[in-house]
Each structure stands twice: as structure tokens, then as C-alpha cells.
Amino acid sequence: MWNFKILPFLCGFLFLTMSSYAQDLKVEAKLINPSDEIDNGKIQLRVLDGEEPFTFKWSKEDVKLTSSSASNLVEGVPYTVTVTDAEGRTFSAEYTIESESIAEHFNGTFKPIVAGLGSVLFWDPFAAVGLYDPVVYKDFEQIFAPGWNADTEEKFKLEKWLVEDGVEVKEGDVIARLSRGRLGDIEVKSPVNGVLKHLDKEGDFIHNPENKKHQIETNSHLFARVKYSDKVVLTHPNGDPVKNQIPFIVIWLIFGAAFFTFRMGFINIRGFKHALQLASGRYDEPDAPGRITHFQALATAVSATVGLGNIAGVAVAISLGGAGATFWMIVAGFLGMSSKFVECTLGVKYRFISKEGRIFGGPMNYLRHGLEKRNLGKLGAFLAGFFAILGIGASFGGGNMFQSNQSFEILSNQIPFLVGQGPWFGVFLAVLVGVVIIGGINSIAKVTGKVVPFMAAVYVIGALIVIGINIENIGPAFNAIFSGAFDPGALKGGFIGVLVVGFQRAAFSNEAGVGSAAIAHSAAKTYHPPSEGFVALLEPFIDTVVVCTLTALVLIFTGKHELTGVSGVELTSSAFGSVISWFPYVLSVAVFLFAFSTMISWSYYGMRSWTYIFGKSNRSELIYKLLFLLFVVLGASVSLGAVLDFSDMMILAMSFPNIIGLYILSGEVKGDLKAYFIKLKDGSLYKKE
């Protein structure tokens, strides 16, 4: 008689047997570490059985589902892959390319740390609580003219529609015939199933290189769309969904900037004129306490922010967010002016000047002593110490190694004999930096006071020349900026994506809210702390509203923002070179000066953080300076990968303790501002005749 009690066991046995068979796909893996260089590991798979076609689901987002190999892998970090054949049989495994060199070990160790810190800095609180769906959906498939590129000289013309507007089409249906000059006529097929939407009329030029509007507008070679019946998830090459995240660090910085803008009564606008007067030296008091003038403090702080981010970072932002990202960069820059005002006012107010005239100021002081006044001494001591630790790490990394590393890479691309001479370049740069920083803040201020205006003038004049030569593009360019800011194409990630890219670039570039600039401004000669706050609010204006915007306009006016396959400095250089053939060489020199000035300014920021932790003695300062110069050589000598990513994130993390303190002390700053305006109006402030 059949025993029904054993039926569940039989079912379970059959399930396990079938599962084992379904996963019984045999795959051979070859792990390759070709050199001591970081991030060049490779995994090659060979499927030994199963039915084609195979799909390969890698954990690395940029590896296609059809690719049996993955390259540019970080040594020492595990990667997973799942192989599936046509019958559904699978194979899953985890592989790690073994680290061999010291650089590879360092890079592999720091990669998980960077990922952990990134999960905090770039965590999306809105998506976490379900306020919106971060997944990017495609409502329609865009159809572009085949064979088009941003530098094309051919005219693309829509000769005939072969399917009426609003008609449902299937994947592979021929929908239109185009003429493409020397490239020849071509019939275009629908890439997906859906409803066809005509965007151009028969006989119209889809792209005409002689039409300036076509050179400037985003996706000028777009001529049709196919609307999906259902929304389709936009995916990375490995099949993972693309997500539009609103990083917590961007929210933290921008919300703080907006709060201080309202709290201080739009000081970024109503204080702008007086800020220019102060920076010009009109209110410089010769006997005031401090070591450097208002202008020198401004130049030192600007030199720390104006750098590679303004050239390479903006190009990346425009590539990701389109022309519309420029608008949000400008908005974020204006808001950031208020953050700078608050932090630099406090930097001067809570500075300490020793008997020898040495100045110790910055967030460490106002976080500790300002909060102590409010019976928050323990919180203040913790925030100050936390800020100082982050400041030291940031000065060695983002303010030092990153600058020497990137300046060597950029110069070696233009000057061939530098290739392979990284250590010697590092020694040369360390000597230049050492000559300046050994002299302290006065020496740093004198150098930045000359270098910053010069390098800024060269870059601004070059940008204005490029824009001037292409001035007929002004209408299409600004139309692309505004239309892209509020109604971006689906391929740019939607409105949220463009807004975040613009805000993120501005926040990362001008460092408003990070607190670093308050260290430089605390050395300014003044009796009135708000006066230095006024000077400081010019920094985000110069860095973001002027320099970043000019970079973006150069890219847009020349139409290079549509180039694919290049990004960063290379893209910006291409835009300048399209108008001024020799300007890429000038740009390389400007990049070097940007990096050099950033390093000497950050050496001071790091040193003040160092002395807060390790003591204010001359010996302590000398130890820091020697370590800083060692890291200059190290940065130019080796590939540091995730180590640099980590140190760069430390700069952003400095905003956490700083902005908490600014919120608590903002009422105090508002009171000081009110008192300062009274003195300004009644003429009791010192003023040069």
C-alpha cells in the first residue's frame, strides 16, 4: 500500500535533484594580474557545456551581459558572476584577483573602506523612506541618426517617413529613410516595440553642421521616439537598474546653504557690493590684529578651491547631466556664498593669537569654544577633534596627493619626456611647495596673492575668447541650459538627475560648508569678524558662478558637451583646442598652477588641524610640513586609486561637524552682522580715503 507520508520527502528529493542539475553548468575561469599597476586585473571565463547563448551577470556594473570576461578589476576585491545558458542552467562563483604589489594591497584594502564611507555620504534618505522611486524608467526609446558624432561635417536629412506618426511598430520595422552626405543613405529600423512619434518632418535636416542651433542643442541628432506600452527600467550594461540618487552629503550641504541664506537675510546678494569693497582693500586697517590682508585671505582660500574640479569636474558634470546642470551649479554657488559668510565670520571671532603673533583659527576653535559658551562643551570638543582628524587626512590626500598625481598625469600627456618620471616630478614639486610653506601663512598668502589672480585671469580670458568667437551661439546655448535644467531628456536621468549633478559639482568644488576656508580667513587683519565673512562669500561666486560656469559655457558654446568617449580635462582641452589650437598647452600650465596653489593652501589647513591634535609648537609644525612634502612625492610617484577616493571623501565629511556647529552658532553670527551693519551705516568703521 502506498505510504503518502513519504510524498513530501520524495518531492523534496526531486526538487534538490532538479536544482542541482539546473546549476550543473561547468565553467573554467582564468584570473590575470598583468602588472604591478592597480585596477588592471582581469577574469576570463570559458563555458565548457550548456546551450548558447550564454548571459554573464557580473557584479561590476560596466560589464555587458554578453561578455565572458571582465577587465579593469581592483586587485584584492571579490567579484561575483552568474552564468546562465539558453535552458536556464546556471553557474555562480566569486573571484578575487590576488594583490601582488604594495600599491595593489593598499588599493584593495581601501576599496571596501571607500565603499563604506560612500554608503554614508551618498546614501539617499528620500528613497530610503519611500518618498520617491530612485529607479530610472524609460518612457520611450530615443531614435538617433545613425553614424552621427559631435564633430561630423555631414548633413543628416530626413528624406521620407515609412511609418505614419502615432502608428504602433515592432522591433525591426523600417520606419524612415535618411540621407547622410558622404556616409550614404540609410534606412532606420525601430529598436523596440511601441508607438512611433515623429520629431522631424520629411525634408527637414535632422542635423546640419552649418546650423549653430544644431551644434549647441543637446541630442540634436534625435529625430523620433518610440513610446513603450509599459515603462521600461533603464539598466547598466550588467543589467542592474540605473538609479537617480539624491546623496545625503549634497542635501546636507545645500540645505545648510539655503538655511544660512534665509537666516542671514540673503547676505549673498545684499552684501556683495560691500564684499568687493573689502577685498579691494578699502577697509584694510593697518594696525588690526592678524597676519594677512582681506585680499590675501581671499586668494589663499580661493586657491584651495579653484583647481582640477573646475576644469575636469565640470566637464564630467556636463557629460552626465547635460547643459542643464550648469543652471543648478550656479544656483548652488549662490547659496554656498551664505555658508562661507557664516563659517568665516566665526573663524575670525574665535581665533587665538599667540604672544609670538602666530594665529590658530578655524572650525576647531569655534566648534570647541563657541559650543562651550552654550554649555555644549563635550559636544564641541568631540566635533572639533573629529573635524581636525578629517582635516589632516584631507590635506594629505585630496589637498596634496590627488593634486600632485593629477598634475603629473596631465603634464606628462603634453610633455612626453615626463612619462615615467613621476618620482622626480614629485621631488621637483615638493621643493617648490616646501619653499613656500616653510615660510608659514605670510609666505603662502604672498604666493597665492600673485598666482591666483594670474592663473584665474589666463583661464577666464581664454574662456571668454572661446565664447566670444562663438558668440552667435549664445541664444541656442542658453536655451540648452534652461531647457535642460527643467525638461532634460530621459537619457540624462530626468529632472532630479540633472539637478543633483549640478548641485553636487558646485558643492564639491567650492567647499562651502566644509569649513576649510575659515582656517585661512582667521589669519586676516581685522577687528570685525563679519568683515571677513563678507570677503569669504566671494569665494563660491568666483569658484562656481564664474570659473565653473565659464568652463561649462566653453563646452556648450563649442558643442563639445555632446562628445562621447572623452571626459574630464581631455574634454575641456578639446573644447578650447577647437578654437585656440595652442590653448591645451596653456591649459596644462594652468592645471599645474591650480594644483600647486591648492597644495600650499591645504598645507596650511592641514597644519592647523595637526597642531590642534598634536600641539602648537614649532617642532610639531615642522613634522607636519615634512610629512606633507613626503606625500607630494608619493602622490606623483604611484597610482593610489581608492586611497585618493577615501581622502577626497574626508573633505566632504568635514562638513558634518562643521555645519552642526554653524546651525547652533548662526544666531550669534546674525547678531554680529546686525551690529556690523549699524557701524557701517554710521561711518564708525575704518575706511581709506
Side-chain angles (χ1 to χ4, degrees):
M1 188 174 179
W2 183 260
N3 188 348
F4 287 98
K5 291 182 179 180
I6 67 169
L7 187 59
F9 295 101
L10 283 172
C11 290
F13 175 79
L14 287 170
F15 175 79
L16 288 172
T17 303
M18 291 173 68
S19 297
S20 299
Y21 178 78
Q23 294 191 19
D24 193 23
L25 203 59
K26 294 180 181 179
V27 176
E28 185 180 81
K30 185 178 181 181
L31 278 60
I32 304 169
N33 187 350
S35 70
D36 290 344
E37 293 294 316
I38 63 170
D39 300 347
N40 68 348
K42 189 171 184 178
I43 300 171
Q44 294 177 337
L45 301 181
R46 188 164 71 95
V47 185
L48 303 177
D49 59 359
E51 294 295 324
E52 294 185 5
F54 302 110
T55 59
F56 302 85
K57 176 70 172 64
W58 296 88
S59 56
K60 194 168 187 280
E61 288 183 339
D62 62 355
V63 183
K64 294 180 179 179
L65 288 167
T66 55
S67 178
S68 61
S69 64
S71 54
N72 300 323
L73 304 179
V74 180
E75 298 82 2
V77 172
Y79 292 90
T80 61
V81 62
T82 297
V83 185
T84 308
D85 76 350
E87 295 182 345
R89 298 169 67 193
T90 63
F91 169 85
S92 296
E94 182 178 273
Y95 300 105
T96 303
I97 307 292
E98 291 299 319
S99 300
E100 295 177 2
S101 66
I102 294 174
E104 288 176 346
H105 279 287
F106 260 90
N107 188 50
T109 301
F110 269 87
K111 197 70 176 180
I113 299 172
V114 169
L117 186 56
S119 66
V120 175
L121 292 174
F122 302 109
W123 169 64
D124 186 343
F126 296 132
V129 297
L131 288 181
Y132 82 109
D133 182 2
V135 174
V136 179
Y137 294 94
K138 295 172 69 175
D139 296 316
F140 45 79
E141 186 74 22
Q142 313 236 59
I143 303 179
F144 299 95
W148 178 94
N149 65 67
D151 292 326
T152 187
E153 295 180 359
E154 303 303 326
K155 295 179 181 179
F156 288 71
K157 187 177 182 182
L158 178 60
E159 295 292 347
K160 186 173 180 60
W161 282 112
L162 302 177
V163 176
E164 295 295 323
D165 186 42
V167 172
E168 191 163 336
V169 294
K170 293 182 179 179
E171 181 180 351
D173 286 354
V174 178
I175 59 172
R177 186 168 61 248
L178 313 183
S179 63
R180 306 179 299 168
R182 287 173 295 180
L183 295 177
D185 294 358
I186 191 171
E187 289 186 337
V188 181
K189 298 178 180 179
S190 174
V192 294
N193 299 332
V195 178
L196 179 66
K197 172 67 177 175
H198 295 177
L199 299 180
D200 286 315
K201 298 177 181 177
E202 288 184 355
D204 285 352
F205 283 107
I206 298 170
H207 179 83
N208 182 356
E210 297 173 4
N211 185 333
K212 296 300 180 183
K213 182 181 178 182
H214 286 182
Q215 287 187 352
I216 299 301
E217 66 183 9
T218 301
N219 296 337
S220 67
H221 56 310
L222 174 68
F223 72 96
R225 288 177 179 150
V226 177
K227 186 175 181 181
Y228 295 108
S229 302
D230 298 309
K231 286 184 178 180
V232 175
V233 176
L234 190 64
T235 60
H236 293 287
N238 75 335
D240 287 344
V242 174
K243 293 184 178 180
N244 258 339
Q245 294 187 306
I246 307 176
F248 176 66
I249 186 64
V250 174
I251 299 168
W252 182 250
L253 289 167
I254 297 300
F255 183 82
F259 174 82
F260 300 129
T261 297
F262 285 101
R263 187 88 165 98
M264 301 299 144
F266 290 88
I267 193 65
N268 50 352
I269 297 173
R270 64 191 181 106
F272 191 79
K273 180 181 177 182
H274 184 57
L276 292 174
Q277 293 172 338
L278 284 161
S280 69
R282 200 167 172 183
Y283 289 86
D284 284 354
E285 299 178 72
D287 300 323
R291 299 287 294 275
I292 58 179
T293 65
H294 287 304
F295 177 76
Q296 287 176 328
L298 175 66
T300 301
V302 167
S303 71
T305 58
V306 174
L308 293 168
N310 302 78
I311 300 172
V314 171
V316 172
I318 299 300
S319 298
L320 293 174
T326 309
F327 176 84
W328 297 113
M329 269 196 297
I330 295 171
V331 171
F334 268 113
L335 293 175
M337 293 166 71
S338 303
S339 297
K340 287 274 182 154
F341 172 83
V342 175
E343 62 192 11
C344 293
T345 296
L346 290 168
V348 174
K349 184 172 184 177
Y350 286 95
R351 67 185 176 182
F352 167 73
I353 303 177
S354 69
K355 294 178 181 178
E356 300 83 21
R358 293 161 67 210
I359 298 171
F360 301 88
M364 298 82 68
N365 286 40
Y366 60 71
L367 288 172
R368 181 171 181 177
H369 302 298
L371 269 60
E372 195 173 49
K373 281 171 54 178
R374 284 170 162 66
N375 298 317
L376 297 170
K378 289 184 179 180
L379 175 63
F382 168 75
L383 293 177
F386 184 39
F387 181 91
I389 291 169
L390 292 171
I392 293 169
S395 72
F396 286 145
N400 181 334
M401 288 192 294
F402 176 76
Q403 305 299 325
S404 62
N405 187 283
Q406 291 299 295
S407 59
F408 170 69
E409 197 166 309
I410 291 160
L411 282 175
S412 61
N413 285 336
Q414 295 292 336
I415 308 173
F417 77 81
L418 283 177
V419 176
Q421 304 299 318
W424 289 111
F425 176 83
V427 171
F428 168 73
L429 188 55
V431 170
L432 289 182
V433 172
V435 168
V436 178
I437 71 173
I438 295 297
I441 186 61
N442 286 61
S443 178
I444 292 170
K446 285 178 183 176
V447 172
T448 56
K450 292 180 174 63
V451 171
V452 170
F454 171 74
M455 69 183 188
V458 169
Y459 191 74
V460 168
I461 290 170
L464 291 175
I465 290 172
V466 172
I467 292 168
I469 291 173
N470 292 278
I471 195 65
E472 70 272 17
N473 296 344
I474 189 167
F478 279 97
N479 179 64
I481 290 170
F482 287 107
S483 63
F486 297 99
D487 186 27
L491 292 182
K492 299 298 183 183
F495 169 74
I496 293 293
V498 176
L499 182 146
V500 169
V501 166
F503 274 5
Q504 187 166 297
R505 181 65 261 150
F508 291 7
S509 179
N510 62 46
E511 295 174 19
V514 168
S516 51
I519 300 173
H521 284 280
S522 64
K525 291 182 177 181
T526 182
Y527 287 107
H528 313 286
S531 68
E532 201 53 34
F534 279 107
V535 175
L537 66 78
L538 292 173
E539 289 166 31
F541 181 82
I542 295 169
D543 176 275
T544 307
V545 180
V546 176
V547 181
C548 282
T549 303
L550 282 175
T551 301
L553 290 177
V554 166
L555 292 168
I556 298 165
F557 269 67
T558 56
K560 297 298 182 182
H561 64 300
E562 286 289 287
L563 272 182
T564 56
V566 291
S567 63
V569 172
E570 188 181 352
L571 183 57
T572 307
S573 180
S574 172
F576 276 103
S578 67
V579 176
I580 310 171
S581 61
W582 46 265
F583 200 81
Y585 295 100
V586 177
L587 190 63
S588 296
V589 175
V591 165
F592 174 76
L593 290 176
F594 284 158
F596 172 69
S597 62
T598 298
M599 292 166 75
I600 61 177
S601 295
W602 265 99
S603 72
Y604 184 67
Y605 296 168
M607 186 176 69
R608 283 294 161 256
S609 298
W610 176 276
T611 54
Y612 182 83
I613 299 289
F614 297 104
K616 299 178 173 65
S617 67
N618 288 325
R619 182 171 174 271
S620 176
E621 289 189 359
L622 182 60
I623 291 172
Y624 171 81
K625 289 174 182 177
L626 292 174
L627 282 172
F628 190 86
L629 296 177
L630 177 64
F631 276 101
V632 174
V633 180
L634 186 64
S637 303
V638 298
S639 300
L640 294 164
V643 180
L644 292 183
D645 294 337
F646 175 72
S647 62
D648 218 24
M649 286 182 176
M650 292 183 85
I651 295 177
L652 297 176
M654 289 163 68
S655 67
F656 289 127
N658 185 54
I659 289 181
I660 289 172
L662 297 185
Y663 280 134
I664 297 170
L665 298 171
S666 61
E668 187 176 322
V669 175
K670 187 174 183 180
D672 292 342
L673 175 61
K674 186 177 180 181
Y676 182 85
F677 269 131
I678 292 172
K679 290 179 182 179
L680 182 63
K681 288 178 180 177
D682 65 22
S684 60
L685 294 177
Y686 174 87
K687 187 177 180 181
K688 289 182 180 179
E689 295 299 329

